[in-house]
Amino acid sequence: MRELRAHDCAPGRLELTTFMLQGGFTSVLRATSRDELLTEIVGFTRQLGFETVTATTVIDHFRGESEFIVLDNTPAAYREAFEDTGNWVRDPVTQHCKRKSVPIIWNQETYTSVGQGDRWEAQAPFGYRTGIALALHLPEGRHFLLGVDRDQALPAGSAELTRMVADLQLFAVHAQDAALRVLVPTSPQADIPALTPRELESLRWTMEGKTAWEVGNILGISERTAVLHVNNATHKLGCVNKHQAVLKALRLGLIR
């Protein structure tokens, strides 16, 4: 089992990935139905080099059990085993995502190392031999899990594999925003928070790819103050990082 954070990689690979996948990052935000959302997620997954995908929105209810909303393209022959919640409890990849936000790169060893080799043997014939999975743990008891799987081994080169994980992480941020909007229409995130002009300006320049130091220079404030404005905006929007905050501010029409 490997846990991986995204870092820089070879420029050639980055340019190719940007050309192939950039449209998927934004087009998923235009999904207006469950079917459209699944189509976008599956399309991106296959461009990334994986055949199957599972995108799960989890809502923790204060009273009662958590609610699971699952989008997937699981093979029909494996559907019954896939929907057996008892398997979720045993699955080491699912348990990793439940507890951590760091992506996991998994293969047969991930299962055999915890005495679950039989579980891997059962799923491998259906294309679940290796993959990448991650979770976004959001405020208000909401979670978004995204896992992609395939039959072939993952790239041996660390740079290409790291870029693959980074692409999936970026897509997950967009996909979770679309999932909450499409699948959970009664979400309280429809309420528009009051952001100060400085907070909105800081978010807008962050959207343009500016660093906190650059935002500070543009607005005539210190880098520390620029960071404070972005952090305040992120908190008010109920997001966990500045990327999610920018996406939500765009969707709410706070910035353009």
Side-chain angles (χ1 to χ4, degrees), residues 1 92 107-117:
M1 178 177 71
N107 54 26
Q108 183 177 11
E109 184 181 357
T110 306
Y111 288 81
T112 57
S113 65
V114 294
Q116 299 293 336

Side-chain angles (χ1 to χ4, degrees), residues 179-197:
L180 288 177
R181 172 175 50 80
V182 172
L183 305 177
V184 194
T186 58
S187 170
Q189 66 175 7
D191 297 331
I192 300 179
L195 271 63
T196 68

Side-chain angles (χ1 to χ4, degrees), residues 11-207:
R13 166 62 183 164
L14 176 59
E15 292 172 3
L16 178 60
T17 299
T18 300
F19 176 76
M20 293 179 60
L21 304 177
Q22 188 174 32
F25 294 144
T26 55
S27 64
V28 71
L29 294 173
R30 295 193 288 271
T32 59
S33 69
R34 184 188 182 97
D35 288 342
E36 287 182 5
L37 182 58
L38 178 58
T39 298
E40 291 292 343
I41 291 174
V42 170
F44 181 90
T45 297
R46 288 177 174 167
Q47 282 190 335
L48 197 61
F50 296 82
E51 280 302 310
T52 59
V53 58
T54 303
T56 306
T57 301
V58 184
I59 305 171
D60 294 332
H61 295 291
F62 180 69
R63 299 180 185 277
E65 297 182 353
S66 296
E67 178 182 359
F68 294 83
I69 307 173
V70 182
L71 295 177
D72 65 276
N73 65 337
T74 302
Y78 188 64
R79 172 65 59 184
E80 184 177 353
F82 174 80
E83 294 180 346
D84 184 349
T85 55
N87 288 333
W88 299 1
V89 175
R90 297 177 60 218
D91 191 276
V93 177
T94 301
Q95 292 306 307
H96 171 94
C97 291
K98 182 178 179 179
R99 298 181 177 90
K100 300 181 180 181
S101 298
V102 180
I104 177 175
I105 299 171
W106 63 269
N107 54 26
Q108 183 177 11
E109 184 181 357
T110 306
Y111 288 81
T112 57
S113 65
V114 294
Q116 299 293 336
D118 60 325
R119 169 75 175 144
W120 185 88
E121 293 288 349
Q123 68 186 33
F126 302 97
Y128 297 87
R129 302 181 67 88
T130 186
I132 305 170
L134 59 90
L136 301 176
H137 299 290
L138 311 169
E140 301 172 352
R142 291 159 193 266
H143 315 270
F144 183 76
L145 284 63
L146 183 63
V148 294
D149 325 278
R150 71 188 201 181
D151 196 31
Q152 300 177 350
L154 294 175
S158 60
E160 185 176 359
L161 186 56
T162 299
R163 186 66 243 169
M164 189 176 282
V165 174
D167 290 337
L168 189 64
Q169 285 181 298
L170 181 57
F171 180 74
V173 172
H174 292 71
Q176 66 83 21
D177 187 82
L180 288 177
R181 172 175 50 80
V182 172
L183 305 177
V184 194
T186 58
S187 170
Q189 66 175 7
D191 297 331
I192 300 179
L195 271 63
T196 68
R198 280 298 199 201
E199 290 166 354
L200 290 172
E201 286 181 301
S202 297
L203 271 187
R204 186 171 65 82
W205 286 112
T206 299
M207 175 184 66

Side-chain angles (χ1 to χ4, degrees), residues 196-248:
T196 68
R198 280 298 199 201
E199 290 166 354
L200 290 172
E201 286 181 301
S202 297
L203 271 187
R204 186 171 65 82
W205 286 112
T206 299
M207 175 184 66
E208 298 292 339
K210 303 298 183 183
T211 65
W213 180 82
E214 291 172 322
V215 172
N217 281 340
I218 293 170
L219 300 181
I221 57 180
S222 68
E223 179 180 3
R224 182 176 180 180
T225 301
V227 170
L228 180 62
H229 286 320
V230 172
N231 287 344
N232 285 343
T234 300
H235 177 73
K236 288 181 180 180
L237 289 165
C239 298
V240 297
N241 59 49
K242 64 183 182 180
H243 304 296
Q244 292 179 1
V246 166
L247 285 173
K248 187 168 183 179

